[in-house]
Every structure is written in C-alpha cells, then in structure tokens.
Amino acid sequence: MGAMAILRRGLARARALITPPADAPRDPQRPPAYGAALAQLIEVQPWCVDHFEYDGNRLCIRGWAIPPDGRHDRYEFTFNDQPFTEICYPLPRDDIGALFWYLPGARDSGFECSIDLPAAGTQAGFDVLRFIDRRSGQPLQVDRDYYLPVGGHVAGLPLPEPERRRRVHGGESESAFFLEGATTFNRLAEALRATTGQDYTDFEQILDWGCGCGRMTRYFIDVEGVQVTGVDIDADNVGWCSGHLPFAEFQTVPLQPPTALPASTFDLLIGISVFTHLSETDQLLWLQELQRIARPGAILLMTFHGDTTLCRGNLSYDAYRTLCEHGFVDAEADPILDEVITDHEYYRRVFHTADYVRQRWSEYFEILDILPGAVGNHQ
C-alpha cells in the first residue's frame, strides 16, 4: 500500500511480508516482470499539479495526469468544482514517460489549464484543484485534490530563499513550494477527520518533526488555540523559521536521539518525508524517541515510501526484490543535505512495505490506518 501511517500509542497485529513474483528473474535493469509488478501496485491514479501562476486576473496550472483507460477525452480538471475555461490535454511529457516507463500513454500525460478569476480576497482559505471523470463529475480518487492558499495571515509570511526550499522540496520553484505545503496541510487534516474524527484545533501541542523551512508549518498560523513546535536536523532552516515564523517555536535536533524535547509533551506529531530518509537503525531510534515525547493517546501522522512511491521511484530490480523479501530497503545515500550536515551517509533514500510498518512500528504505536498516496499523491 501507499505511504502515510496514522499511529497511536499501543499495539497492532502484524501481517506477513509481501513476496516477489515466483518467476521474476534477477535482472538489475527493467525486465517485463518488473514493469508488470509495478503496474499492479498502482492504487492511486498518477496525477500532479507541478506549477501554477496567478497574476490577479488569470490562474494557469500545469502538470500531468495518466488516465486509467488511456481516454484523455473522458477526463478534465476543475477549479473549485468549475471546469477550467481552457484545457490543453494531453501534451507531451517525456519526463513522465521515463518515470512511468511501464505505463502506456505516460509520455502523453501533460496538461495546461487556465481560467479567469477575480482578485483573491483576504479571508483565509484554500482553492481546490481536481482531476475528474466527465461522466460522473467525481474525482478519479477521493482525497487526491490539490490546494492553493487564499489570503489569511499566511499570505503575509516571507518566502525562504531558493537554496532553503531546495533542501526541503528538491527544487527551487516558488509555486511548487506553496502548492505542496498547502496541499499537505489539507491532506493531513482530511486524514485526521476520516480516521479519528478530529481537527487540528482538537490538539494542544503539535510537533512538526522535520519542519525544514516551514513549507507546511506556515499554514498553522491561521489555526487558533494550538502551540506548534518545529524541529529539524537542518540548523540553517531552523534558524530561518525562528526568525520568520513567530507564531511557532523551533529548535534543531541531532541526527540521532535523544532530543531536548520534554517527555509526554505532544498530542499530535507530524513527520513528512522523514522516515523516507532514515536507515533502519536510525528509524528504530527515532520511533523510540517519538514514543518518549508523545503523550499517551497522542496521534502521529508519519509518511513513508511505500508501493505508491515505488511505482515512480526508479528503484533497481534488485532493490525491489530486497524490498519484497525484507519489507525494507535502503537504496542509497541522498546528498540533498550534504551542505548542512557533516555525516554524508546519514540521509538515505529508503522504502518500506505497509506490512513491515505494521509489524515493526506496532512495537511502539498502535497502527490506526495506512493511507496510500496521502501526501504528494505518492507518500
């Protein structure tokens, strides 16, 4: 399955790990058996808004969407449930064709849409972007919408510099930084409501573990009655947050715990793309630390690279076999934080199976649910 785990302190039953196809050959390249296996793993229909522009009068978005049946004419994109006035779809996207090399039609998945809009207001809120089936008028996948921030106090917050955004987002695009932060903030709220019936305002102490330069943290400025704490191993980004996001508290944490955070403090703990970068040893150390600082009954929202990420992760076939056999694979070092941490082997690119998470993480927390593709339509 995909890759956000909702946890609570307690125990959950484990399940058997998945196994690779019995007749799959050992081939480090891309054998047909590997492509067939990846295609079967897709639970979240791939689509992405990766750029938007708004000049006060006209909104333009760009991205890609792979229709499940190859019929582009059956699908469209909406803004607040209204069709865009101009839609160019499909368009060539060689990069997506290379990413989804096993899906027919992936190279013709690009889109560009535009619509005239009135000037944005000042009230806090979010505009909603959807990929829908024309025949039913419904999204292809529930809870896979994208969100654009509208007004509120967040509109007055400064934007971190390109190099700081790159260490968090993997790129320097301003629009992608806003889009992914706002979308993650809303996706987590949806997951909370669906799984626990709670909202952000039902918690007193919220921890953003791995806050970076506040890509998601910034949206808590319009949530009343909560105390937000952001922590990260990137001291430079933590310093930026401390100086520019005054509604929250921030501190640097070491590569390995323990931290200076007090025990039994937080009742909502969020970790976006942290367990995706920890070795198996460090992962277990941090699970112990999260257990220590979480209040009894606390809720944790933690993402990992599961099947949905695997479908676009360009993992070698040998690494895929290791994942199937063991439930966890450490693919390689990720150099994106090399300029801010001294141990260049610490930050990894790792994948989990959902069954591995149920088995190992349940030693520390009760697993309430695992939601495929809940963040970024893949984690």
Side-chain angles (χ1 to χ4, degrees), residues 2-231:
M4 183 172 74
I6 302 179
L7 318 175
R8 184 167 58 198
R9 293 183 68 174
L11 294 176
R13 290 174 296 186
R15 300 181 184 178
L17 299 180
I18 63 173
T19 57
D23 60 346
R26 281 194 175 274
D27 188 334
Q29 303 304 314
R30 294 175 171 176
Y34 187 20
L38 292 178
Q40 291 178 355
L41 290 176
I42 292 181
E43 297 184 54
V44 178
Q45 192 59 37
W47 90 288
C48 176
V49 181
D50 49 28
H51 181 79
F52 77 90
E53 297 175 6
Y54 177 60
D55 62 6
N57 297 297
R58 190 171 182 82
L59 172 70
C60 299
I61 66 171
R62 295 199 304 267
W64 53 270
I66 305 175
D69 52 10
R71 292 287 303 274
H72 300 86
D73 58 305
R74 291 180 175 177
Y75 306 96
E76 67 179 347
F77 308 88
T78 64
F79 172 84
N80 294 338
D81 293 324
Q82 299 297 316
F84 279 83
T85 51
E86 296 182 15
I87 299 177
C88 297
Y89 178 62
L91 296 172
R93 284 292 297 259
D94 288 345
D95 57 331
I96 304 305
L99 198 62
F100 293 95
W101 52 272
Y102 53 91
L103 290 183
R107 292 187 182 276
D108 295 315
S109 61
F111 67 80
E112 293 184 5
C113 305
S114 60
I115 188 172
D116 291 327
L117 299 172
T122 57
Q123 185 176 0
F126 299 89
D127 291 322
V128 185
L129 307 173
R130 290 193 170 109
F131 182 42
I132 71 166
D133 189 322
R134 290 178 185 268
R135 296 161 294 182
S136 66
Q138 298 300 313
L140 269 70
Q141 192 94 20
V142 177
D143 301 330
R144 295 296 174 263
D145 304 330
Y146 281 84
Y147 294 85
L148 298 176
V150 179
H153 296 101
V154 71
L157 294 176
L159 180 69
E161 292 79 6
E163 62 273 15
R164 293 193 168 98
R165 300 197 302 270
R166 178 180 51 79
R167 294 200 301 272
V168 170
H169 186 69
E172 299 180 356
S173 166
E174 294 183 14
S175 68
F177 183 84
F178 287 129
L179 184 69
E180 288 297 333
T183 298
T184 298
F185 178 83
N186 280 278
R187 295 276 188 86
L188 297 184
E190 292 169 355
L192 271 175
R193 288 190 290 268
T195 306
T196 71
Q198 296 171 289
D199 289 299
Y200 288 134
T201 53
D202 293 318
F203 301 92
E204 296 178 358
Q205 295 281 345
I206 298 177
L207 177 70
D208 186 357
W209 175 48
C211 63
C213 54
R215 181 179 63 170
M216 185 199 67
T217 324
R218 63 196 295 119
Y219 296 99
F220 280 104
I221 191 173
D222 289 314
V223 180
E224 298 181 355
V226 301
Q227 174 59 54
V228 177
T229 301
V231 300

Side-chain angles (χ1 to χ4, degrees), residues 237-256:
N237 267 338
V238 168
W240 187 91
C241 288
S242 296
H244 296 90
L245 306 179
F247 62 90
E249 297 179 356
F250 298 92
Q251 65 175 268
T252 305
V253 292
L255 301 188
Q256 285 91 13

